[in-house]
Amino acid sequence: MNLKRTFGAILTVLGIIGLIYTGIGIIQKTSSVTTLVVTGIIAVIFFFAGIGLVKNTKDTD
């Protein structure tokens, strides 16, 4: 498996975890708004960067 594709998968999973954390924080209103906004933005960046790496990297055997 290609290293870029693996890194893309890791970034995607981290983005999904961050989005879930942000969603739970919004629903439960446990964290401050600033923390949730920053976490959500970073999670979205990780998610789309990971998807982009997986999508644009060609398989090499």
Side-chain angles (χ1 to χ4, degrees), residues 9-60:
I10 292 170
L11 282 177
T12 304
V13 169
L14 286 175
I16 291 170
I17 291 170
L19 288 172
I20 290 171
Y21 174 78
T22 303
I24 290 172
I26 289 172
I27 291 171
Q28 294 180 349
K29 299 178 184 174
T30 55
S31 300
S32 68
V33 175
T34 308
T35 304
L36 292 176
V37 168
V38 170
T39 305
I41 291 172
I42 291 172
V44 167
I45 291 171
F46 276 18
F47 181 74
F48 284 115
I51 292 293
L53 272 175
V54 170
K55 186 176 171 183
N56 294 328
T57 303
K58 295 184 182 357
D59 281 332
T60 55

